Amino acid sequence: MEVVQVLHMNKGNGDTSYAKNSTVQRKIISFGKTIIEEALLELSSNYDIDSMGISDLGCSMGPNTLSVISEIMDIVRATSGHLRRPVPEFRLFFNDLYSNDFNYLFMLLPAFYKMLKEEKGIGSQCFISGVPGSFYGRLLPSNSLHFVYSFSSLHWLSQVPVGLESYAVKHLNKGKVYISKSSPQSVVNAYSSQFQADFSQFIKSRSQELVPGGRMVLSFLGRKSIDPTTEDGCYQWELLAEALMSLVKEGLIEEEKVASFNAPYYAPCAEELKVEILKEGSFIINRLEAFEVDWDGGAVADTHTEQGKMMVGERVAKTIRAVVESMLESHFRMGQDTMDVLFIKFAEIVGNHLSKTRTKYINFVISLVRKC
């Protein structure tokens, strides 16, 4: 599976689209707002910037994308006013993989520009560009950015770990789609090595693009424990594998297809993040916080009732589907009807699980300063 070509959030604004099913991501963004504000206040206070370069890495599409940049601009405007400096012009770079629905995002821009002009008075000071490509490499010229942020993206790897590809001679993780309690140590090691290589390259690339003293805020899923098989780091994948295997039993997909699928995903622990940042050496860790996030984004429902279980299960299933459907469609070549059956089963499995234990995502927010 070529992640760069295949991975994208569900496009458009239909019932299973990312735009309609990104409540969890919106919740995650809310946790990072205070840390973003702190980073921008320090940046604006320490440097008199005429033209501020800002990049959203893994921007996806939909309302979350523009709401974050709007708030960033508000913070910079307020800080400039407090310091009695002119508001800088904004050079905004929205990045995601080539298959991202940039058209949907760009269709939102006329209304966004109108809002900037009428409500903020800065319509002519904002220049927006789309930058397609993988953030695990260089995207922009040296010293062109002052602030970088990324939400809900860095847990995606640049590729399926080496040795676990669908074309591998021997499938090492049969019946699973990610690290699990039953995975051999070689699978765990392959995922860990891929994360180390990817995250190191990400940090190195940003160190070249950010000006000295520039800020970066990163927010993505992780885990509390050093052990990568703990529930907070992988259990949503365990339940998805269970749903896929139920389709195998019904003859809807081949067992070989499940055996050869491994998600290009990794939920690191804080220690792994610190090691790679310190090893690369270009950044100072200003803050590193961990937050718990409900799988359903905090829906109010009694999961001890059948109706409540169904509602929460469906909500989680739609959120996951909006994110992983492109990968599943590419690998399993399943039609729409089979995909619907898969996520109906997944919703049932998730609802039953959450009625017994309220498993949560762990989300890290890291604030970094580019060394001068």
Side-chain angles (χ1 to χ4, degrees):
M1 175 171 52
E2 291 290 338
V3 174
V4 172
Q5 297 174 358
V6 171
L7 178 61
H8 62 78
M9 307 301 101
N10 276 0
K11 301 178 180 182
N13 61 351
D15 189 51
T16 61
S17 67
Y18 178 80
K20 289 280 183 70
N21 297 284
S22 49
T23 303
V24 171
Q25 290 82 357
R26 189 155 52 250
K27 189 80 170 179
I28 287 170
I29 288 170
S30 71
F31 289 137
K33 284 181 180 178
T34 301
I35 296 176
I36 281 183
E37 182 173 6
E38 178 186 272
L40 286 167
L41 285 173
E42 291 175 358
L43 176 66
S44 299
S45 298
N46 293 334
Y47 299 93
D48 189 357
I49 302 169
D50 295 325
S51 179
M52 182 175 285
I54 302 172
S55 185
D56 178 350
L57 302 180
C59 65
S60 190
M61 81 291 284
N64 289 347
T65 305
L66 296 180
S67 69
V68 176
I69 194 61
S70 179
E71 293 191 28
I72 286 173
M73 295 168 80
D74 285 343
I75 294 167
V76 175
R77 285 173 63 241
T79 306
S80 298
H82 177 71
L83 297 171
R84 297 185 178 179
R85 293 174 182 167
V87 177
E89 64 180 19
F90 295 94
R91 293 175 287 111
L92 311 178
F93 303 97
F94 291 117
N95 156 260
D96 213 310
L97 296 176
Y98 302 103
S99 51
N100 183 57
D101 194 354
F102 282 102
N103 284 340
Y104 185 85
L105 175 60
F106 293 158
M107 288 298 290
L108 300 175
L109 291 182
F112 182 69
Y113 280 128
K114 183 179 180 182
M115 179 273 293
L116 291 181
K117 182 178 180 180
E118 295 179 355
E119 298 180 20
K120 305 180 191 296
I122 55 173
S124 61
Q125 292 173 259
C126 179
F127 306 91
I128 295 178
S129 302
V131 185
S134 172
F135 52 46
Y136 291 120
R138 286 290 301 275
L139 292 165
L140 293 161
S142 299
N143 298 317
S144 60
L145 298 174
H146 297 87
F147 185 69
V148 170
Y149 64 98
S150 179
F151 283 99
S152 301
S153 295
L154 273 163
H155 41 252
W156 295 110
L157 300 172
S158 67
Q159 64 177 63
V160 173
V162 175
L164 302 181
E165 303 93 342
S166 59
Y167 54 78
V169 175
K170 184 179 180 182
H171 301 312
L172 304 175
N173 205 26
K174 291 183 178 180
K176 306 296 179 183
V177 298
Y178 179 60
I179 297 168
S180 75
K181 292 286 186 184
S182 63
S183 297
Q185 189 61 40
S186 59
V187 169
V188 176
N189 293 344
Y191 270 102
S192 177
S193 296
Q194 188 63 53
F195 167 76
Q196 291 168 18
D198 282 348
F199 193 62
S200 174
Q201 189 59 43
F202 175 89
I203 294 294
K204 180 180 179 181
S205 297
R206 304 297 81 76
S207 73
Q208 295 168 320
E209 295 165 351
L210 273 164
V211 299
R215 262 55 173 187
M216 181 160 63
V217 175
L218 310 174
S219 177
F220 52 98
L221 298 181
R223 65 181 195 274
K224 287 183 178 178
S225 172
I226 294 175
D227 179 7
T229 67
T230 52
E231 281 196 4
D232 61 8
C234 66
Y235 209 66
Q236 71 273 27
W237 296 106
E238 189 82 7
L239 301 184
L240 183 59
E242 185 179 333
L244 285 165
M245 289 305 293
S246 72
L247 264 60
V248 170
K249 291 176 183 177
E250 294 182 17
L252 296 175
I253 58 174
E254 298 174 8
E255 186 171 4
E256 174 70 14
K257 281 290 188 180
V258 179
S260 62
F261 179 81
N262 287 285
Y265 170 95
Y266 188 73
C269 64
E271 288 75 11
E272 289 174 294
L273 299 174
K274 293 175 185 176
V275 165
E276 295 307 319
I277 293 167
L278 295 174
K279 189 192 301 181
E280 196 279 331
S282 297
F283 289 92
I284 298 167
I285 300 174
N286 204 28
R287 285 182 69 175
L288 173 53
E289 306 283 346
F291 303 92
E292 291 187 342
V293 185
D294 288 313
W295 278 13
D296 59 5
V300 179
D302 183 359
T303 53
H304 295 99
T305 67
E306 288 303 314
Q307 185 179 8
K309 282 196 296 184
M310 183 173 67
M311 189 186 90
V312 171
E314 288 177 353
R315 189 180 175 104
V316 175
K318 282 188 174 183
T319 300
I320 297 291
R321 180 173 182 170
V323 174
V324 306
E325 184 167 1
S326 63
M327 292 187 298
L328 297 177
E329 189 176 47
S330 173
H331 180 82
F332 291 96
R333 303 294 181 187
M334 63 176 75
Q336 195 65 44
D337 290 345
T338 305
M339 190 73 72
D340 289 343
V341 171
L342 170 64
F343 281 98
I344 288 170
K345 291 183 178 295
F346 182 60
E348 292 173 356
I349 292 168
V350 169
N352 287 330
H353 170 73
L354 292 179
S355 70
K356 299 169 187 172
T357 177
R358 199 67 176 171
T359 309
K360 297 177 183 285
Y361 294 123
I362 302 300
N363 189 81
F364 288 120
V365 183
I366 315 171
S367 180
L368 302 172
V369 182
R370 172 75 167 86
K371 289 181 180 178
C372 295

